[in-house]
Amino acid sequence: MLAGAPACSAALCIIGVFGVLIHRNAIIIVRGVELRLTAVNLTFVAFSRFYGTAGQVFVIFVMTVSAAEAAVGLAIIISIFRHRRTINLKDINLLRG
């Protein structure tokens, strides 16, 4: 059980990193960050089986942060889409005058 969970967690984390680094679509980048947080949760749960319930407590905190990040991130994406009509990050330059 313990040998498979870190391998699956590492695979999820690598997929999330590639999603953030390669794609320029804002929704795919948010999804990549969510995959990385899911990988962390999987690792916490796997190790909490052997080292106590502290990992499961951390999972609750990570899930709370993940939900807040998803809500705020999607709200920002919707706001940008309403003004710019695109969510492609190459076309969005909000800091330029």
Coordinates of all heavy atoms in Angstrom, one line a residue:
M1 N 0.8 -1.2 0.0 CA 0.0 0.0 0.0 C 0.9 1.3 0.0 O 0.6 2.2 -0.8 CB -0.9 0.0 1.2 CG -1.7 1.2 1.5 SD -2.8 1.6 0.2 CE -3.3 3.2 0.7
L2 N 1.9 1.3 0.9 CA 2.7 2.5 1.0 C 3.5 2.7 -0.2 O 3.8 3.9 -0.6 CB 3.5 2.5 2.3 CG 4.3 3.7 2.6 CD1 3.3 4.9 2.8 CD2 5.1 3.6 3.8
A3 N 3.9 1.7 -0.9 CA 4.8 1.8 -2.1 C 4.1 2.4 -3.3 O 4.7 3.2 -4.0 CB 5.4 0.5 -2.4
G4 N 2.8 2.1 -3.4 CA 2.1 2.6 -4.6 C 1.6 4.1 -4.4 O 1.5 4.8 -5.4
A5 N 1.3 4.5 -3.2 CA 0.8 5.8 -3.0 C 1.8 6.9 -3.3 O 1.4 7.9 -4.0 CB 0.3 6.0 -1.6
P6 N 3.0 6.9 -2.9 CA 4.0 7.9 -3.3 C 4.3 7.9 -4.8 O 4.5 9.0 -5.4 CB 5.3 7.6 -2.5 CG 4.8 6.9 -1.3 CD 3.6 6.0 -1.8
A7 N 4.3 6.8 -5.4 CA 4.5 6.7 -6.9 C 3.3 7.4 -7.6 O 3.5 8.2 -8.5 CB 4.6 5.3 -7.3
C8 N 2.1 7.1 -7.2 CA 0.9 7.8 -7.8 C 0.9 9.3 -7.5 O 0.6 10.1 -8.4 CB -0.3 7.1 -7.2 SG -1.9 7.7 -8.0
S9 N 1.3 9.6 -6.3 CA 1.4 11.0 -5.9 C 2.4 11.8 -6.8 O 2.2 12.9 -7.2 CB 1.7 11.1 -4.4 OG 1.9 12.5 -4.1
A10 N 3.6 11.1 -7.0 CA 4.6 11.7 -7.8 C 4.1 11.9 -9.2 O 4.4 12.9 -9.9 CB 5.9 10.9 -7.8
A11 N 3.4 10.9 -9.8 CA 2.9 11.0 -11.1 C 1.9 12.2 -11.2 O 1.9 12.9 -12.2 CB 2.2 9.7 -11.5
L12 N 1.0 12.3 -10.2 CA 0.0 13.4 -10.3 C 0.7 14.7 -10.2 O 0.4 15.7 -10.9 CB -0.9 13.3 -9.1 CG -2.0 12.2 -9.2 CD1 -2.8 12.1 -7.9 CD2 -3.0 12.6 -10.4
C13 N 1.8 14.8 -9.4 CA 2.5 16.1 -9.2 C 3.2 16.4 -10.5 O 3.2 17.6 -10.9 CB 3.5 16.0 -8.1 SG 4.3 17.5 -7.7
I14 N 3.8 15.5 -11.2 CA 4.5 15.7 -12.5 C 3.5 16.2 -13.5 O 3.8 17.1 -14.3 CB 5.3 14.5 -12.9 CG1 6.5 14.3 -12.0 CG2 5.8 14.6 -14.3 CD1 7.2 13.0 -12.1
I15 N 2.4 15.5 -13.6 CA 1.3 16.0 -14.5 C 0.9 17.4 -14.2 O 0.7 18.2 -15.2 CB 0.1 15.0 -14.5 CG1 0.6 13.6 -15.1 CG2 -1.0 15.5 -15.3 CD1 -0.5 12.5 -14.9
G16 N 0.7 17.7 -13.0 CA 0.3 19.1 -12.6 C 1.4 20.1 -12.9 O 1.1 21.2 -13.4
V17 N 2.6 19.8 -12.7 CA 3.7 20.7 -13.1 C 3.8 20.9 -14.6 O 3.9 22.1 -15.1 CB 5.1 20.2 -12.6 CG1 6.2 20.9 -13.2 CG2 5.1 20.2 -11.1
F18 N 3.6 19.9 -15.4 CA 3.6 20.0 -16.8 C 2.4 20.8 -17.3 O 2.5 21.6 -18.2 CB 3.6 18.7 -17.6 CG 5.0 18.1 -17.6 CD1 5.1 16.7 -17.4 CD2 6.1 18.8 -17.9 CE1 6.4 16.1 -17.4 CE2 7.3 18.2 -17.9 CZ 7.5 16.9 -17.7
G19 N 1.2 20.7 -16.6 CA 0.1 21.4 -16.9 C 0.3 22.9 -16.7 O -0.2 23.8 -17.5
V20 N 1.0 23.3 -15.6 CA 1.2 24.7 -15.3 C 2.3 25.3 -16.3 O 2.2 26.4 -16.7 CB 1.7 24.8 -13.8 CG1 2.2 26.2 -13.6 CG2 0.5 24.5 -12.9
L21 N 3.3 24.5 -16.5 CA 4.4 25.0 -17.3 C 4.2 25.1 -18.8 O 4.7 26.0 -19.5 CB 5.7 24.3 -17.0 CG 6.3 24.4 -15.6 CD1 7.5 23.5 -15.5 CD2 6.6 25.8 -15.3
I22 N 3.5 24.1 -19.4 CA 3.4 24.0 -20.8 C 2.2 24.8 -21.4 O 2.3 25.5 -22.4 CB 3.2 22.5 -21.2 CG1 4.6 21.8 -20.9 CG2 2.9 22.4 -22.7 CD1 4.5 20.4 -21.2
H23 N 1.0 24.8 -20.7 CA -0.2 25.4 -21.3 C -0.3 26.8 -20.9 O 0.2 27.3 -19.9 CB -1.4 24.6 -20.8 CG -1.5 23.2 -21.2 ND1 -1.7 22.8 -22.5 CD2 -1.3 22.0 -20.5 CE1 -1.7 21.5 -22.6 NE2 -1.4 21.0 -21.4
R24 N -1.0 27.6 -21.7 CA -1.2 29.0 -21.5 C -2.6 29.3 -21.3 O -3.0 30.5 -21.2 CB -0.7 29.8 -22.7 CG 0.7 29.8 -23.0 CD 1.5 30.5 -21.8 NE 2.4 29.6 -21.2 CZ 2.8 29.7 -20.0 NH1 2.4 30.7 -19.2 NH2 3.7 28.9 -19.4
N25 N -3.5 28.3 -21.1 CA -4.9 28.5 -20.8 C -5.0 28.6 -19.3 O -4.5 27.7 -18.6 CB -5.7 27.3 -21.4 CG -7.2 27.5 -21.3 OD1 -7.6 28.3 -20.5 ND2 -7.9 26.9 -22.1
A26 N -5.7 29.6 -18.8 CA -5.8 29.8 -17.4 C -6.5 28.7 -16.6 O -6.2 28.3 -15.5 CB -6.5 31.2 -17.1
I27 N -7.5 28.1 -17.2 CA -8.3 27.0 -16.6 C -7.4 25.8 -16.4 O -7.4 25.1 -15.4 CB -9.6 26.7 -17.3 CG1 -10.5 28.0 -17.2 CG2 -10.3 25.5 -16.8 CD1 -11.8 27.8 -18.0
I28 N -6.6 25.5 -17.4 CA -5.7 24.3 -17.4 C -4.6 24.6 -16.3 O -4.2 23.6 -15.6 CB -5.1 24.0 -18.7 CG1 -6.2 23.6 -19.7 CG2 -4.0 23.0 -18.7 CD1 -5.8 23.4 -21.1
I29 N -4.2 25.8 -16.2 CA -3.2 26.1 -15.1 C -3.8 25.9 -13.7 O -3.1 25.3 -12.9 CB -2.6 27.5 -15.3 CG1 -1.7 27.5 -16.6 CG2 -1.8 28.0 -14.1 CD1 -1.2 28.9 -17.0
V30 N -5.0 26.4 -13.5 CA -5.7 26.2 -12.2 C -5.9 24.7 -12.0 O -5.7 24.2 -10.9 CB -7.0 26.9 -12.2 CG1 -7.8 26.6 -11.0 CG2 -6.7 28.4 -12.2
R31 N -6.2 23.9 -13.0 CA -6.4 22.5 -12.9 C -5.0 21.8 -12.5 O -5.0 20.9 -11.7 CB -6.9 21.9 -14.2 CG -7.3 20.4 -14.0 CD -7.9 19.9 -15.3 NE -6.9 19.9 -16.3 CZ -7.1 19.7 -17.6 NH1 -8.3 19.4 -18.0 NH2 -6.1 19.7 -18.5
G32 N -3.9 22.3 -13.1 CA -2.6 21.8 -12.8 C -2.3 22.0 -11.3 O -1.7 21.1 -10.6
V33 N -2.6 23.2 -10.8 CA -2.3 23.4 -9.4 C -3.2 22.5 -8.5 O -2.7 22.0 -7.5 CB -2.6 24.9 -9.1 CG1 -2.5 25.2 -7.6 CG2 -1.6 25.8 -9.8
E34 N -4.4 22.3 -8.9 CA -5.3 21.4 -8.1 C -4.8 20.0 -8.1 O -4.9 19.3 -7.1 CB -6.7 21.4 -8.7 CG -7.4 22.7 -8.6 CD -7.7 23.1 -7.1 OE1 -8.0 22.1 -6.3 OE2 -7.7 24.2 -6.7
L35 N -4.2 19.5 -9.3 CA -3.6 18.2 -9.3 C -2.4 18.1 -8.3 O -2.2 17.1 -7.7 CB -3.1 17.9 -10.7 CG -4.1 17.2 -11.6 CD1 -3.6 17.1 -13.0 CD2 -4.5 15.9 -11.1
R36 N -1.6 19.1 -8.2 CA -0.5 19.1 -7.3 C -1.0 19.1 -5.9 O -0.4 18.4 -5.0 CB 0.4 20.3 -7.5 CG 1.1 20.2 -8.9 CD 1.9 21.4 -9.2 NE 3.1 21.4 -8.3 CZ 3.8 22.5 -8.0 NH1 3.5 23.6 -8.5 NH2 4.8 22.4 -7.2
L37 N -2.1 19.8 -5.5 CA -2.6 19.7 -4.2 C -3.2 18.4 -3.9 O -3.1 17.9 -2.8 CB -3.6 20.8 -4.0 CG -3.1 22.3 -4.0 CD1 -4.2 23.3 -4.0 CD2 -2.2 22.4 -2.7
T38 N -3.8 17.7 -4.9 CA -4.3 16.4 -4.7 C -3.2 15.4 -4.5 O -3.4 14.5 -3.7 CB -5.1 16.0 -6.0 OG1 -6.2 16.9 -6.2 CG2 -5.7 14.6 -5.8
A39 N -2.1 15.6 -5.1 CA -0.9 14.7 -4.9 C -0.4 14.8 -3.5 O -0.1 13.8 -2.8 CB 0.2 15.1 -5.9
V40 N -0.4 16.1 -2.9 CA 0.0 16.3 -1.5 C -1.0 15.6 -0.6 O -0.6 14.9 0.4 CB 0.1 17.8 -1.2 CG1 0.3 18.0 0.2 CG2 1.2 18.4 -2.0
N41 N -2.3 15.7 -0.9 CA -3.3 15.1 0.0 C -3.1 13.5 0.0 O -3.3 12.9 1.0 CB -4.7 15.4 -0.5 CG -5.1 16.8 -0.1 OD1 -4.6 17.3 0.9 ND2 -6.1 17.3 -0.7
L42 N -2.9 13.0 -1.2 CA -2.7 11.5 -1.3 C -1.5 11.1 -0.5 O -1.5 10.1 0.2 CB -2.5 11.1 -2.7 CG -2.3 9.6 -3.0 CD1 -3.5 8.8 -2.6 CD2 -2.0 9.4 -4.5
T43 N -0.4 11.8 -0.5 CA 0.8 11.5 0.3 C 0.5 11.6 1.8 O 0.9 10.7 2.6 CB 1.9 12.4 -0.1 OG1 2.2 12.3 -1.5 CG2 3.2 12.1 0.7
F44 N -0.2 12.7 2.2 CA -0.6 12.8 3.6 C -1.4 11.6 4.1 O -1.2 11.1 5.2 CB -1.3 14.1 3.9 CG -0.5 15.3 4.0 CD1 -0.9 16.6 3.6 CD2 0.8 15.2 4.5 CE1 -0.1 17.7 3.7 CE2 1.6 16.4 4.6 CZ 1.1 17.6 4.2
V45 N -2.4 11.2 3.3 CA -3.3 10.1 3.7 C -2.5 8.8 3.8 O -2.7 8.0 4.7 CB -4.5 10.0 2.8 CG1 -5.3 8.8 3.0 CG2 -5.4 11.2 3.0
A46 N -1.7 8.6 2.8 CA -0.9 7.3 2.8 C 0.0 7.2 4.0 O 0.1 6.2 4.6 CB -0.1 7.3 1.5
F47 N 0.7 8.3 4.3 CA 1.6 8.3 5.5 C 0.9 8.4 6.8 O 1.4 7.9 7.8 CB 2.7 9.4 5.4 CG 3.7 9.0 4.4 CD1 3.9 9.8 3.2 CD2 4.6 8.0 4.6 CE1 4.9 9.5 2.3 CE2 5.6 7.6 3.7 CZ 5.7 8.4 2.5
S48 N -0.3 8.9 6.8 CA -1.1 9.0 8.1 C -1.6 7.6 8.5 O -1.8 7.4 9.7 CB -2.3 9.9 8.0 OG -3.3 9.3 7.2
R49 N -1.6 6.7 7.6 CA -2.0 5.3 8.0 C -1.0 4.7 8.8 O -1.3 3.8 9.7 CB -2.2 4.5 6.7 CG -2.7 3.1 7.0 CD -3.0 2.4 5.7 NE -3.5 1.0 6.0 CZ -3.6 0.1 5.2 NH1 -3.4 0.3 3.9 NH2 -4.0 -1.1 5.5
F50 N 0.3 5.0 8.7 CA 1.4 4.4 9.4 C 1.9 5.3 10.6 O 2.4 4.8 11.5 CB 2.6 4.1 8.5 CG 2.2 3.1 7.5 CD1 1.9 3.4 6.2 CD2 2.2 1.7 7.8 CE1 1.6 2.4 5.2 CE2 1.8 0.8 6.9 CZ 1.5 1.1 5.6
Y51 N 1.7 6.6 10.5 CA 2.2 7.5 11.4 C 1.2 8.3 12.3 O 1.5 9.3 12.9 CB 3.2 8.5 10.8 CG 4.4 7.8 10.1 CD1 4.5 7.9 8.7 CD2 5.3 7.2 10.9 CE1 5.6 7.2 8.1 CE2 6.4 6.5 10.3 CZ 6.5 6.6 8.9 OH 7.6 5.9 8.3
G52 N 0.0 7.9 12.2 CA -1.1 8.6 13.0 C -2.0 9.4 12.2 O -1.8 9.5 11.0
T53 N -2.9 10.1 12.8 CA -3.9 10.9 12.1 C -3.5 12.3 11.8 O -4.4 13.1 11.4 CB -5.2 10.8 13.0 OG1 -5.0 11.4 14.2 CG2 -5.7 9.4 13.1
A54 N -2.3 12.7 12.1 CA -1.9 14.1 11.9 C -2.0 14.4 10.4 O -2.3 15.5 10.0 CB -0.5 14.3 12.4
G55 N -1.7 13.4 9.5 CA -1.7 13.7 8.1 C -3.1 13.9 7.6 O -3.4 14.7 6.7
Q56 N -4.1 13.3 8.2 CA -5.5 13.5 7.9 C -6.0 14.9 8.3 O -6.8 15.5 7.6 CB -6.4 12.4 8.4 CG -6.1 11.1 7.8 CD -6.9 10.0 8.5 OE1 -7.7 10.2 9.4 NE2 -6.7 8.8 8.0
V57 N -5.4 15.4 9.4 CA -5.7 16.8 9.8 C -5.2 17.8 8.8 O -5.8 18.7 8.4 CB -5.2 17.1 11.2 CG1 -5.3 18.5 11.6 CG2 -5.9 16.2 12.2
F58 N -4.0 17.5 8.3 CA -3.4 18.4 7.3 C -4.2 18.3 6.0 O -4.3 19.3 5.2 CB -1.9 18.0 7.0 CG -1.0 18.5 8.0 CD1 -0.2 17.6 8.8 CD2 -0.9 19.9 8.3 CE1 0.7 18.1 9.7 CE2 0.0 20.3 9.3 CZ 0.8 19.4 10.0
V59 N -4.7 17.2 5.7 CA -5.6 17.0 4.4 C -6.8 17.9 4.5 O -7.1 18.6 3.5 CB -6.0 15.5 4.3 CG1 -7.1 15.4 3.2 CG2 -4.8 14.7 3.9
I60 N -7.4 18.1 5.7 CA -8.5 19.0 5.8 C -8.1 20.4 5.5 O -8.8 21.1 4.8 CB -9.1 18.8 7.2 CG1 -9.7 17.4 7.4 CG2 -10.2 19.9 7.4 CD1 -10.8 17.0 6.5
F61 N -6.9 20.8 6.0 CA -6.5 22.2 5.8 C -6.1 22.4 4.3 O -6.4 23.4 3.7 CB -5.2 22.5 6.7 CG -5.6 22.7 8.1 CD1 -5.0 21.9 9.1 CD2 -6.5 23.6 8.5 CE1 -5.3 22.0 10.4 CE2 -6.8 23.7 9.9 CZ -6.2 23.0 10.8
V62 N -5.5 21.4 3.7 CA -5.1 21.5 2.3 C -6.3 21.6 1.4 O -6.4 22.3 0.5 CB -4.2 20.4 1.9 CG1 -3.9 20.4 0.4 CG2 -2.8 20.5 2.6
M63 N -7.4 20.8 1.8 CA -8.6 20.8 1.0 C -9.3 22.2 1.1 O -9.9 22.7 0.2 CB -9.5 19.7 1.5 CG -9.1 18.3 1.0 SD -10.1 17.0 1.7 CE -11.7 17.3 1.0
T64 N -9.2 22.8 2.3 CA -9.8 24.1 2.5 C -9.1 25.1 1.7 O -9.8 26.0 1.0 CB -9.8 24.5 4.0 OG1 -10.4 23.4 4.8 CG2 -10.4 25.8 4.3
V65 N -7.8 25.1 1.7 CA -7.0 26.1 0.9 C -7.3 25.8 -0.6 O -7.4 26.8 -1.4 CB -5.5 25.9 1.3 CG1 -4.7 26.7 0.3 CG2 -5.3 26.4 2.7
S66 N -7.4 24.6 -1.0 CA -7.6 24.2 -2.4 C -9.0 24.7 -2.8 O -9.1 25.3 -3.9 CB -7.5 22.7 -2.5 OG -7.9 22.3 -3.8
A67 N -10.0 24.6 -2.0 CA -11.3 25.1 -2.4 C -11.3 26.6 -2.5 O -11.9 27.2 -3.4 CB -12.3 24.6 -1.4
A68 N -10.7 27.3 -1.5 CA -10.6 28.7 -1.6 C -9.8 29.2 -2.8 O -10.2 30.1 -3.5 CB -10.0 29.3 -0.3
E69 N -8.7 28.5 -3.1 CA -7.9 28.9 -4.3 C -8.7 28.7 -5.6 O -8.7 29.5 -6.5 CB -6.7 28.0 -4.3 CG -5.8 28.2 -5.5 CD -6.0 27.2 -6.6 OE1 -6.4 26.0 -6.2 OE2 -5.7 27.5 -7.7
A70 N -9.5 27.6 -5.7 CA -10.3 27.3 -6.9 C -11.4 28.4 -7.0 O -11.6 28.9 -8.1 CB -10.9 25.9 -6.8
A71 N -12.0 28.7 -5.9 CA -13.1 29.7 -6.0 C -12.6 31.1 -6.4 O -13.1 31.8 -7.3 CB -13.8 29.8 -4.7
V72 N -11.5 31.5 -5.8 CA -10.9 32.8 -6.1 C -10.3 32.8 -7.5 O -10.5 33.8 -8.3 CB -9.9 33.3 -5.1 CG1 -9.1 34.5 -5.5 CG2 -10.5 33.5 -3.7
G73 N -9.6 31.7 -7.9 CA -9.0 31.7 -9.2 C -10.1 31.7 -10.3 O -9.9 32.4 -11.3
L74 N -11.1 30.9 -10.1 CA -12.2 30.9 -11.2 C -12.9 32.3 -11.2 O -13.3 32.7 -12.3 CB -13.2 29.8 -10.9 CG -12.6 28.4 -11.2 CD1 -13.6 27.3 -10.9 CD2 -12.2 28.3 -12.7
A75 N -13.1 32.9 -10.1 CA -13.7 34.3 -10.1 C -12.8 35.3 -10.9 O -13.4 36.1 -11.6 CB -13.9 34.7 -8.7
I76 N -11.5 35.2 -10.7 CA -10.6 36.1 -11.4 C -10.7 35.8 -12.9 O -10.7 36.7 -13.7 CB -9.2 36.0 -10.8 CG1 -9.2 36.6 -9.4 CG2 -8.2 36.6 -11.8 CD1 -7.9 36.4 -8.7
I77 N -10.7 34.5 -13.2 CA -10.7 34.1 -14.6 C -12.0 34.5 -15.3 O -12.0 35.1 -16.4 CB -10.6 32.5 -14.8 CG1 -9.2 32.1 -14.4 CG2 -10.9 32.1 -16.2 CD1 -9.0 30.6 -14.3
I78 N -13.1 34.4 -14.6 CA -14.4 34.9 -15.2 C -14.4 36.4 -15.3 O -14.9 36.9 -16.4 CB -15.6 34.4 -14.3 CG1 -15.8 32.9 -14.4 CG2 -16.9 35.2 -14.6 CD1 -16.8 32.4 -13.4
S79 N -13.8 37.1 -14.4 CA -13.8 38.6 -14.5 C -12.9 39.0 -15.7 O -13.2 39.9 -16.4 CB -13.2 39.2 -13.2 OG -13.0 40.5 -13.3
I80 N -11.8 38.3 -15.8 CA -10.9 38.7 -17.0 C -11.6 38.3 -18.3 O -11.5 39.1 -19.3 CB -9.5 37.9 -16.8 CG1 -8.7 38.6 -15.7 CG2 -8.7 38.0 -18.1 CD1 -7.5 37.8 -15.3
F81 N -12.3 37.2 -18.3 CA -12.9 36.8 -19.6 C -14.0 37.8 -20.0 O -14.2 38.1 -21.1 CB -13.6 35.4 -19.4 CG -14.3 34.9 -20.7 CD1 -13.5 34.5 -21.8 CD2 -15.6 34.9 -20.7 CE1 -14.2 34.1 -22.9 CE2 -16.3 34.5 -21.9 CZ -15.6 34.1 -23.0
R82 N -14.7 38.3 -19.0 CA -15.8 39.3 -19.3 C -15.2 40.6 -19.9 O -15.9 41.2 -20.7 CB -16.6 39.6 -18.0 CG -17.5 38.5 -17.6 CD -18.3 38.9 -16.4 NE -19.2 37.9 -16.0 CZ -19.8 37.8 -14.9 NH1 -19.7 38.8 -14.0 NH2 -20.6 36.8 -14.6
H83 N -14.0 41.0 -19.5 CA -13.4 42.2 -20.0 C -12.6 42.0 -21.3 O -12.6 42.8 -22.2 CB -12.6 42.9 -18.9 CG -13.4 43.4 -17.8 ND1 -14.2 44.5 -17.9 CD2 -13.5 42.9 -16.5 CE1 -14.8 44.7 -16.7 NE2 -14.3 43.8 -15.9
R84 N -11.9 40.9 -21.4 CA -11.0 40.6 -22.5 C -11.5 39.7 -23.5 O -10.9 39.5 -24.6 CB -9.6 40.1 -22.0 CG -9.0 41.0 -21.0 CD -8.3 42.2 -21.6 NE -7.7 43.0 -20.6 CZ -6.8 43.9 -20.8 NH1 -6.5 44.1 -22.1 NH2 -6.3 44.6 -19.9
R85 N -12.5 38.9 -23.2 CA -13.1 37.8 -24.1 C -12.1 36.7 -24.4 O -12.2 36.1 -25.5 CB -13.6 38.4 -25.4 CG -14.8 39.4 -25.2 CD -16.0 38.6 -24.7 NE -17.1 39.5 -24.6 CZ -18.0 39.3 -23.6 NH1 -17.9 38.3 -22.8 NH2 -19.0 40.1 -23.5
T86 N -11.1 36.5 -23.6 CA -10.1 35.4 -23.7 C -9.6 35.0 -22.4 O -9.6 35.8 -21.4 CB -9.0 35.8 -24.7 OG1 -8.2 34.7 -24.9 CG2 -8.2 36.9 -24.1
I87 N -9.2 33.7 -22.3 CA -8.6 33.2 -21.1 C -7.2 32.7 -21.4 O -6.5 32.1 -20.6 CB -9.4 32.2 -20.4 CG1 -9.7 31.0 -21.3 CG2 -10.6 32.8 -19.7 CD1 -10.4 29.9 -20.6
N88 N -6.7 33.0 -22.6 CA -5.4 32.6 -23.0 C -4.4 33.6 -22.4 O -4.5 34.9 -22.6 CB -5.2 32.6 -24.5 CG -3.9 32.0 -25.0 OD1 -3.1 31.6 -24.2 ND2 -3.7 32.0 -26.3
L89 N -3.4 33.2 -21.6 CA -2.6 34.1 -20.9 C -1.6 34.8 -21.8 O -1.1 35.9 -21.3 CB -1.8 33.3 -19.8 CG -2.7 32.7 -18.7 CD1 -1.8 31.9 -17.7 CD2 -3.5 33.7 -18.1
K90 N -1.4 34.4 -23.0 CA -0.5 35.2 -23.9 C -1.2 36.5 -24.3 O -0.6 37.5 -24.6 CB -0.2 34.4 -25.1 CG 0.8 33.3 -24.9 CD 1.1 32.7 -26.3 CE 2.2 31.6 -26.1 NZ 2.5 31.0 -27.4
D91 N -2.5 36.5 -24.3 CA -3.3 37.7 -24.8 C -3.7 38.6 -23.6 O -4.2 39.7 -23.9 CB -4.6 37.2 -25.5 CG -4.3 36.4 -26.7 OD1 -3.2 36.5 -27.3 OD2 -5.2 35.6 -27.0
I92 N -3.4 38.3 -22.4 CA -3.7 39.1 -21.3 C -2.5 39.8 -20.7 O -1.6 39.1 -20.2 CB -4.4 38.2 -20.2 CG1 -5.6 37.5 -20.7 CG2 -4.7 39.0 -18.9 CD1 -6.2 36.5 -19.8
N93 N -2.5 41.1 -20.8 CA -1.4 41.9 -20.3 C -2.1 43.0 -19.4 O -2.2 44.1 -19.8 CB -0.6 42.5 -21.4 CG 0.2 41.5 -22.2 OD1 0.6 40.5 -21.6 ND2 0.2 41.7 -23.5
L94 N -2.4 42.6 -18.2 CA -3.1 43.6 -17.3 C -2.2 44.7 -16.7 O -2.7 45.7 -16.4 CB -3.9 42.8 -16.2 CG -5.0 41.9 -16.6 CD1 -5.5 41.2 -15.4 CD2 -6.1 42.6 -17.3
L95 N -0.9 44.4 -16.6 CA 0.0 45.3 -16.0 C 0.5 46.4 -17.0 O 1.1 47.4 -16.6 CB 1.1 44.6 -15.4 CG 0.8 43.7 -14.2 CD1 2.0 43.0 -13.7 CD2 0.1 44.5 -13.1
R96 N 0.2 46.2 -18.3 CA 0.6 47.2 -19.3 C -0.4 48.2 -19.4 O -1.6 47.9 -19.3 CB 0.9 46.5 -20.6 CG 2.1 45.6 -20.7 CD 2.3 45.2 -22.0 NE 3.5 44.2 -22.0 CZ 3.8 43.5 -23.1 NH1 3.2 43.6 -24.2 NH2 4.9 42.7 -23.0
G97 N 0.0 49.5 -19.6 CA -0.9 50.6 -19.6 C -1.8 50.5 -20.7 O -3.0 50.7 -20.9

